[in-house]
Structure formats: C-alpha cells, structure tokens
Amino acid sequence: MASAPVVGAWAQLPLPAPGVFRVRPLVFEATASYLQRLAGAYRLTLPQLLDSAGITVRGHGTSPAAELDLSPTATRRVAAVARVRPDVLARALPGLLQDGTTDARPATACWGPVEHRQQAVRACTMCVRHHSRGATGTAWVHRPWHRLVCWRHQQAAPDPRLTSTLRTGAVPELATAHHSHQRLQRHPRGASAWMAAHAITTRWYDHQQHLTHRWHHRLHQLTAGNPQLRRAGNASAVLLARDLVTYPETVTLARTLATLPHQHPTPHVHDAVGVIGHKLALTRLSPTANDPLTTYLGSHPSPAPVSPLRTATPHGYLSTHHSINNKTKINPTHPRNP
C-alpha cells in the first residue's frame, strides 16, 4: 500500500505534487466532510492530513455545526493530494472559495460556526460508499432546494440533528414526489414557488391544519421504520421528520403555484384556492385570512379564474392555453410529462 504524505514535504515544493489516491467529491458536499474522507483514504486524522499538506489550521470544530474555510493556496494543495482539479472541487463543494489566483499567500484552514438553517445534513450512505470506494459511509452535504431524498437508495436526512439517514422505502410517495420535484427545478419560477410552498406547509404542519391526519399517518410510517427518530436527543420525531412528512404536498403545492396563470388586476383568490385544494386531494380547503396561503395569493399577481374540475387533467397539471405555456420550458400538457 502506498505511504501517506510526508509531513513537511510541501515546504520543499513550489507547487503541490500529485497525491496517491483520487478521492472524488460529492455534489454539494461540505468542505470539512470532503477533507475528512480524504484523510480517511490515507488512514490519517483530519489534522494530520492538513499538517502533512503544510496547511495551518485555525480554530476548532466538527461537522455540521462548523465548517472549514480554505485559502486559495490551501485549496490547490488539497486538490493535489486528492488528484482532483481545483475548478472541479470548487464546483462540487459550495463552501469552497477558489479565486483562481496563483499567489503565494499562506495555506490556511479556518473553522467557523454555521447557522442551523445552513448546516449540512447526512448524505446517502450508499452514495458515499460508492464515492469513497467502500472506505466510509459518512459524509455531510449542503442539500440543494430541489433534492431531499435519494430515490435510488431510498434514504433521506431532512434535519442536521440526525446522526444517521432515514429509510424511506415504507413511504413510496416520497420517491414519486422526488421525480416531480426534479421537473419543478426546470421551471423559471420553480425556486421561488418551492420556498413559498415550503413556508406554507411548514406553517400548516406546526399548527396542525388542513392535512393533519395524512401527515400523522406518514410520520407513523417513518417512525416505525426508523427507531432512531425516537432517540435523537432533545429533538422530537415530529420536528426531525417534518420536511420529509410534508414533502409530497409541498412539491404538489409548489408546482401548482408555479403553473397558475396570472392576470391583472382583478383578484380571483377563491378560484386559486379551489385549484390548490383539488391538487392536494382535499375535499375542502378553506384557509383563513391569516393563513400563509391566503397571504401569498393576496400579495402576488392574482391568478385568473379557473375551475379545478374543468382544468384537472390525468397528469395533475392545469390544462390552460394561457401564454405561460409559451413562456416556460415545460409544457404542462405534453404527454411525456407524467
């Protein structure tokens, strides 16, 4: 087996020499998580790896509560050890700063705290083992807005406080929602619609409104298949699994908000609520004036009058000839869109 990098070797080299092992980064992986996996490939601890590369570490921390910030010089040295080009690392690791310079500033790695909402979550263990060649199944990723579950391996980590991923095979609608979510990200209003829908369903979940019975059943399914939800410290399963429990309805609501036709200036909030209720398979949806859905519809360009029964299609989209179909890349009535 090849030997580990020699301590102090970087002091004699003007540029980093290639490493022995090539460790590929996960997409959206946290910098500290990637460096930990890289150290594991060499059978080293993280401080030992950074010291062998001539990188000075400042502060202390652990994932996901803290993250490592590398200087450009340190980034190039890590790329050499990993045998991965710096630009490839910069595209894969969202927390990595790479300005493309070749200056000789010190190679430093600084630990810094991360706010809870921005903390990384556990990555799919099967995907990590594939990228790590079986060396480890642990990694942390900054999950993008359009990706909550790994449909291939049926795993998910909806909260940074979870120390292991959750198995989702007992709830098949989560995989279906994932595929629908991928189509949403191609819509011009997909990201904004998702953020609005997520805020709305989170409020409904916390206040036990509209979809409580359905969500309680789904939470029971997840808890039955994941005993770790019952022993996750001070956080309850109700909070830890919230994003996963509401996921199918959040995707449905986001796609509906993104595809509703808009028209000025006459308001038709009641018609929009009817369409949304039909999409969510609710026999009745009557939000109050303080409901976040009412607030959203009232503060955005008003949707044109539509009938939920007339516009419903087998594919779950609005069958409208409004100009929105010509402005977006997605054709809601195209037969290839299930």
Side-chain angles (χ1 to χ4, degrees):
M1 179 177 178
S3 59
V6 180
V7 176
W10 297 108
Q12 289 79 34
L13 295 175
L15 291 176
V20 178
F21 301 111
R22 185 173 186 270
V23 179
R24 294 183 299 162
L26 293 167
V27 180
F28 304 109
E29 186 171 5
T31 305
S33 170
Y34 176 71
L35 292 177
Q36 187 66 59
R37 291 199 301 115
L38 181 60
Y42 284 103
R43 305 293 180 88
L44 298 173
T45 64
L46 180 55
Q48 288 173 338
L49 173 75
L50 296 176
D51 183 63
S52 68
I55 299 174
T56 303
V57 183
R58 298 173 181 172
H60 301 277
T62 56
S63 296
E67 179 63 304
L68 271 175
D69 293 326
L70 302 181
S71 67
T73 304
T75 298
R76 293 196 301 273
R77 294 187 179 184
V78 167
V81 173
R83 298 179 63 190
V84 178
R85 295 200 318 270
D87 61 305
V88 174
L89 278 183
R91 287 196 299 269
L93 310 182
L96 191 63
L97 300 178
Q98 176 65 17
D99 56 10
T101 62
T102 57
D103 57 66
R105 282 183 292 176
T108 58
C110 302
W111 283 102
V114 182
E115 295 183 6
H116 176 74
R117 292 184 178 181
Q118 299 176 349
Q119 288 181 7
V121 297
R122 287 281 188 180
C124 171
T125 56
M126 299 299 292
C127 292
V128 175
R129 289 192 181 281
H130 175 71
H131 280 72
S132 303
R133 300 190 179 187
T136 180
T138 302
W140 299 86
V141 294
H142 294 283
R143 189 183 64 228
W145 71 270
H146 62 275
R147 186 178 302 172
L148 180 64
V149 301
C150 176
W151 65 272
R152 182 176 289 106
H153 302 119
Q154 297 184 337
Q155 293 186 26
D159 193 281
R161 290 169 289 188
L162 287 169
T163 57
S164 61
T165 58
L166 303 180
R167 294 186 295 271
T168 62
V171 191
E173 62 264 31
L174 296 178
T176 303
H178 169 82
H179 294 296
S180 181
H181 202 176
Q182 304 318 295
R183 293 194 292 273
L184 176 65
Q185 72 165 321
R186 298 193 296 268
H187 196 285
R189 294 194 300 271
S192 60
W194 167 259
M195 289 188 292
H198 183 265
I200 292 169
T201 55
T202 298
R203 172 73 177 273
W204 289 352
Y205 182 87
D206 292 342
H207 289 75
Q208 300 186 22
Q209 296 174 317
H210 307 309
L211 296 153
T212 303
H213 177 74
R214 189 186 308 176
W215 285 340
H216 279 178
H217 175 69
R218 193 173 297 148
L219 178 62
H220 175 74
Q221 289 179 300
L222 289 170
T223 306
N226 299 276
Q228 68 269 35
L229 278 173
R230 300 190 186 94
R231 50 177 187 271
N234 297 328
S236 67
V238 175
L239 293 178
L240 292 175
R242 177 173 57 189
D243 285 354
L244 207 55
V245 169
T246 62
Y247 185 52
E249 289 73 28
T250 304
V251 173
T252 300
L253 177 58
R255 296 188 69 187
T256 306
L257 294 179
T259 56
L260 277 176
H262 289 76
Q263 167 179 310
H264 289 286
T266 307
H268 298 283
V269 175
H270 177 75
D271 297 295
V273 170
V275 173
I276 292 171
H278 181 75
K279 297 294 184 181
L280 294 175
L282 291 173
T283 55
R284 176 172 179 170
L285 178 61
S286 301
T288 64
N290 296 326
D291 192 284
L293 177 60
T294 306
T295 304
Y296 174 85
L297 294 175
S299 60
H300 286 70
S302 305
V306 287
S307 170
L309 297 179
R310 177 176 57 83
T311 58
T313 70
H315 307 302
Y317 279 98
L318 295 178
S319 178
T320 175
H321 297 290
H322 193 268
S323 60
I324 187 174
N325 293 341
N326 299 324
K327 294 180 181 179
T328 63
K329 297 180 181 179
I330 298 178
N331 184 354
T333 59
H334 197 284
R336 290 187 299 173
N337 287 328

